[in-house]
Amino acid sequence: VLFHMIGGKGEFYINGVDCFEEYGLVFEESTLPALLSPAPMKEDPEDEVILGNGKIVQTDNPRLDSRTVSLIIYMKCTSMSDFMTKYGKFCTLLYSRNLELTSPEHFQALKFRLLYDSCQQFSAYGYFELVKFILRVTEPDPSNRLNV
């Protein structure tokens, strides 16, 4: 397996709950740049100029657009029973839909306000000792990340 996992006790929090302590979650390292990549811009209002050349593009009020991000997460478990307990709690969290992801160690003051959309991949290794989730989430308003 060629990936690098980050996370552990006190590194990542979802809705104020320690991801590792409560759910056994660690993140694939590629999740950090996926979250930190700049958000896309909404299209600028524009108007075709009938009596002149080209068009008028209004750029004086730029706005960020929502974006979709894939989070690659691993759940570490000690047994099938441990997996079932953590999995049940994790699904309850996902189905609440609203996820506020923070990491004082990796993101400092950033808080990512995300909406759970779907699980694109679910894989289990070693009789559910390590479970991989690829979650599709939406960041509806990237402009409010700094409000921790």
Side-chain angles (χ1 to χ4, degrees), residues 5-26:
M5 293 182 282
I6 55 174
K9 184 177 178 180
E11 287 192 45
F12 290 93
Y13 297 86
I14 296 178
N15 299 349
V17 176
D18 187 309
C19 292
F20 187 76
E21 287 285 299
E22 186 71 14
Y23 312 108
L25 299 180
V26 293

Side-chain angles (χ1 to χ4, degrees), residues 50-124:
I50 295 174
L51 298 175
N53 296 320
K55 59 185 170 184
I56 297 171
V57 180
Q58 184 180 357
T59 61
D60 59 339
N61 194 15
R63 299 283 184 198
L64 298 178
D65 204 353
S66 66
R67 68 187 186 125
T68 301
V69 180
S70 292
L71 305 178
I72 304 173
I73 299 174
Y74 294 88
M75 180 181 288
K76 292 184 171 185
C77 304
T78 58
S79 65
M80 183 58 126
S81 174
D82 185 40
F83 164 73
M84 292 306 294
T85 300
K86 289 175 179 174
Y87 177 74
K89 289 179 186 180
F90 187 52
C91 285
T92 299
L93 171 71
L94 294 177
Y95 298 153
S96 75
R97 191 116 201 270
N98 294 300
L99 309 174
E100 289 190 347
L101 179 63
T102 59
S103 175
E105 183 170 327
H106 299 284
F107 306 137
Q108 287 108 25
L110 296 180
K111 179 186 284 188
F112 294 92
R113 292 168 175 91
L114 308 169
L115 299 175
Y116 169 70
D117 294 323
S118 65
C119 180
Q120 296 176 307
Q121 181 181 338
F122 175 87
S123 306

